[in-house]
Amino acid sequence: MGQVRHTTGGEVPRLRLDELLLELESRIEAVRGTRDRVHDLLEAVLSVGRELDLPQVLRRIVEAAVALVDAEYGALGVIGEDERLAQFLHVGVSTEQSAEIGALPSGDGILGELIRNPSPLRIANLTDHPASSGFPPGHPPMRSFLGVPIRVGDTVFGNLYLTEKRNAAAFDTEDETVLATLAMAAGVAIEKARLYDEAQRRERWLAASAEVTSSLLSGAPHARVLELVLERARTLADATLGLLVVPGGGAAQGAPAGAAGEGRARRTGSAEPPPAAELRTACASGAGSEAFAQVRFDDDGLVAAALRADTAVTSADPAHDPRPGGGTDSWSGTGPAVAVPMGAGDGVRGVLLLARAVGRAPFTAAETGPLRGFAGQAALAMELADRRRDAEQLALFADRDRIARDLHDLAIQRLFATGMTLQSAQRFVEHPGAAERLERAVDDLDDTIKIIRSTIFGLRTRPGERGATLRGRVTDATEAAVATLGFRPALVTEGPVDTAVQPPVADAVTAVLVEALSNVARHAGASAAEVRLTVAGDRLTLVVADDGVGMPRRGRRSGLRNLEDRAHAFDGTLTVGPGEEGGTVVTWVVPLTDGPLGEEGTGGIR
């Protein structure tokens, strides 16, 4: 009998055991790979969640996505309010390649497919998809594609785009799951960064509002406050150009918009904005601001639209927008713009307009909201400052009225009584020298009373009313001569100066006074001068006396000839001669043929 061998039964179990060991090893490797991938995913989630700066968060998300799914190229597209890509951050494409490709995508083709249908999209070959629109020149070749949406709450914030799987022909379901998980974590990180950014932005706007309010209430010049408002708004809104447009022609030269009720567009209900002629640039700053220095904005422009809508109005391209005022030449080279009205209550003080450079992102609702609040806060602060200035002026006027009343009721009456006493005492004085001194004292009291009466009138005259009266015009002309004379001339007015003098004569009096004081400044070498304007009966007399060197025997008399001609035009006279104690006295007299004489006299004791 031959020998029986039993090797087959032992080899079969050994082979099966080797297969099981290999399968176990492959599964262990798969588990290890899965563990490593989960670890990488957690690391990516933590890395993204650490950042608070939104642009940095978006960059981290793209970089983490490329690493997790082993892609050659990655991008994150942020969806704008117009359902197009407002931002596009890419990884893997060099700067040279990006420059060669040109403008970044806006949401066409495959990228737009994901915007229209926000759900994961995996494609083995991009060119085979019906939505594919091809690649621009210079674009690197791409075949495999994986895209997932990023949701912030219930809103699709943007999409992650990955292309060119490195170690495989296409992305698989595991890649899709990993990327979807990262997108969920990215949504949380973006929401946190947006909240942080919003809080920081709100804090900066509040600080700017406080600075503007502080400047206004501290009494800073109105024009400087407008420049501060514009500069802070332009900086905080990341704009390259800023304009502050106000109603009213005077504001274009820097006059305060809304001062004393001027330059303010009052509206109730659906009132129309001011006409085109009233919308002008008050101040401008930033690149290209010189083109808007004296621009008048059209009634159908962006500025007028903001006034009419009483809310923020945006334009993606002001140079080709049918609304903008100022002309296309001014707007050329300007990118997205926003205009917000500066309103407080039922008043609109102007429009704050900001613009960015061409190619920059348009202004979003998150940016225009704080800007609108800042503009309204600035307008409210201006309103409060105006009210405070009005109250201060009223208090000042009341104080001046009190002083004038006290001077009239107390000082003048006591001086008058003293003068009358001295006049009555003259009868009992026998010495000629003493009588002469009493007479001189009475004359001095009489002049003092006249000066005080003129001062009382000046106190009771409001600054805005002064130029409308002859007495005010004479006061202004005397004040204006101080700079050239080097001293302040004494001024005395007597009689119904403001009611008895007709406008043509008043104009001539002002011109004569200016000429006479100019002659004193140029030729007299005087250290003091006196101006006396008297209306008595039917005659007006203007006397300008100085203590200078007197009239030269020979010299040009063109200035005096002008004064003489003005006197002859009203059948009057001009006399020029030396004063009692030296100097020169110019006396200009014209008759008053008609006119009311009802004004209270401003004479003295006599």
Side-chain angles (χ1 to χ4, degrees):
M1 293 182 59
Q3 187 177 0
V4 180
R5 301 178 64 182
H6 301 282
T7 57
T8 303
E11 290 179 359
V12 172
R14 187 178 297 113
L15 290 174
R16 292 187 61 190
L17 180 61
D18 290 342
E19 291 175 359
L20 290 173
L21 288 173
L22 289 173
E23 184 179 352
L24 179 61
E25 185 178 352
S26 65
R27 293 192 177 187
I28 291 174
E29 288 296 329
V31 170
R32 186 181 292 114
T34 303
R35 183 199 62 185
D36 293 340
R37 197 162 195 184
V38 170
H39 182 268
D40 292 341
L41 177 60
L42 291 175
E43 282 291 333
V45 170
L46 291 175
S47 175
V48 168
R50 289 192 195 103
E51 293 291 341
L52 289 175
D53 181 59
L54 184 56
Q56 191 62 32
V57 169
L58 300 181
R59 173 65 58 181
R60 285 287 182 90
I61 292 171
V62 181
E63 293 172 347
V66 168
L68 283 174
V69 299
D70 198 22
E72 184 75 22
Y73 307 102
L76 192 154
V78 180
I79 301 174
E81 297 177 356
D82 58 352
E83 297 299 317
R84 306 282 288 176
L85 293 180
Q87 290 179 258
F88 193 79
L89 291 81
H90 55 82
V91 172
V93 178
S94 65
T95 305
E96 293 77 12
Q97 287 177 314
S98 179
E100 187 177 354
I101 295 170
L104 295 174
S106 58
D108 297 319
I110 299 294
L111 305 186
E113 181 70 19
L114 204 58
I115 295 175
R116 293 184 291 272
N117 302 299
S119 57
L121 178 63
R122 187 157 42 94
I123 304 172
N125 190 343
L126 284 169
T127 58
D128 295 338
H129 196 278
S132 177
S133 57
F135 298 103
H139 198 284
M142 296 178 181
R143 292 178 59 84
S144 55
F145 174 87
L146 175 60
V148 296
I150 299 176
R151 285 184 168 83
V152 177
D154 296 330
T155 305
V156 177
F157 174 82
N159 296 305
L160 272 172
Y161 307 111
L162 286 305
T163 59
E164 288 298 287
K165 177 79 171 177
R166 281 197 176 98
N167 298 320
F171 296 98
D172 56 23
T173 55
E174 189 175 340
D175 294 326
E176 182 180 323
T177 302
V178 169
L179 198 60
T181 304
L182 177 64
M184 292 176 60
V188 176
I190 290 171
E191 177 68 9
K192 183 178 69 171
R194 287 173 69 177
L195 291 174
Y196 177 78
D197 184 63
E198 183 180 343
Q200 292 291 101
R201 187 187 300 116
R202 187 183 299 112
E203 184 176 344
R204 290 191 293 269
W205 282 112
L206 288 175
S209 296
E211 185 179 3
V212 171
T213 303
S214 176
S215 298
L216 280 167
L217 298 183
S218 65
H222 202 98
R224 189 180 304 169
V225 174
L226 292 182
E227 292 173 359
L228 177 64
V229 169
L230 182 60
E231 194 58 34
R232 292 295 177 269
R234 189 173 69 85
T235 302
L236 292 178
D238 192 23
T240 54
L241 171 68
L243 305 176
L244 207 158
V245 183
V246 297
Q253 283 73 37
E262 245 181 78
R264 189 182 309 175
R266 290 288 178 187
R267 301 181 300 131
T268 56
S270 58
E272 290 298 315
E278 296 184 10
L279 293 173
R280 288 186 177 273
T281 304
C283 55
S285 69
S289 58
E290 59 279 355
F292 294 89
Q294 293 295 330
V295 169
R296 189 186 75 183
F297 288 82
D298 297 336
D299 187 41
D300 60 347
L302 188 63
V303 173
L307 281 176
R308 188 179 295 110
D310 198 22
T311 186
V313 177
T314 59
S315 175
D317 187 6
H320 299 92
D321 193 310
R323 294 173 306 186
T328 55
D329 292 341
S330 300
W331 289 104
S332 60
T334 304
V338 59
V340 296
M342 296 182 63
D346 62 345
V348 175
R349 291 177 166 267
V351 171
L352 184 61
L353 190 147
L354 302 175
R356 290 172 174 162
V358 176
R360 294 279 307 278
F363 291 91
T364 63
E367 293 172 319
T368 57
L371 178 62
R372 178 74 176 93
F374 172 72
Q377 189 74 16
L380 179 59
M382 291 179 188
E383 184 78 19
L384 292 176
D386 284 348
R387 297 293 174 86
R388 195 186 73 162
R389 277 193 294 269
D390 291 344
E392 290 174 352
Q393 291 242 334
L394 288 175
L396 176 63
F397 293 155
D399 200 38
R400 291 172 63 172
D401 288 342
R402 179 188 59 78
I403 295 172
R405 187 170 56 252
D406 290 347
L407 285 173
H408 183 274
D409 296 343
L410 301 177
I412 287 183
Q413 299 305 325
R414 290 177 67 89
L415 289 173
F416 190 84
T418 303
M420 296 295 294
T421 301
L422 291 176
Q423 278 186 320
S424 63
Q426 283 181 313
R427 295 176 299 172
F428 305 103
V429 177
E430 298 179 356
H431 192 281
E436 182 183 354
R437 290 189 178 184
L438 282 175
E439 180 71 19
R440 192 182 307 159
V442 171
D443 290 342
D444 289 343
L445 285 174
D446 191 51
D447 289 341
T448 302
I449 290 174
K450 293 174 183 177
I451 292 173
I452 292 177
R453 286 188 183 275
S454 297
T455 303
I456 290 173
F457 178 82
L459 287 171
R460 287 177 173 171
T461 302
R462 303 294 181 258
E465 302 169 352
R466 177 175 291 179
T469 64
L470 175 57
R471 200 186 310 256
R473 292 166 66 179
V474 169
T475 302
D476 290 340
T478 306
E479 289 288 336
V482 173
T484 54
L485 290 170
F487 57 86
R488 189 180 306 279
L491 174 62
V492 178
T493 56
E494 303 176 54
V497 173
D498 292 331
T499 57
V501 183
Q502 297 301 311
V505 178
D507 294 340
V509 169
T510 306
V512 167
L513 175 60
V514 171
E515 181 72 25
L517 290 176
S518 176
N519 288 338
V520 173
R522 288 182 293 176
H523 308 300
S527 59
E530 181 184 64
V531 176
R532 185 181 296 271
L533 178 63
T534 305
V535 173
D538 60 351
R539 190 170 299 276
L540 178 146
T541 304
L542 174 65
V543 178
V544 179
D546 65 72
D547 64 352
V549 297
M551 286 291 296
R553 293 184 179 181
R554 295 180 180 179
R556 298 178 60 185
R557 300 176 61 87
S558 58
L560 295 178
R561 189 175 298 112
N562 291 336
L563 304 187
E564 192 173 21
D565 291 342
R566 289 184 183 276
H568 291 165
F570 296 98
D571 296 329
T573 60
L574 172 72
T575 57
V576 182
E580 293 181 1
E581 299 180 0
T584 304
V585 178
V586 176
T587 305
W588 192 83
V589 182
V590 294
L592 301 176
T593 56
D594 54 12
L597 300 176
E599 183 181 306
E600 179 186 355
T602 56
I605 298 169
R606 302 187 188 281

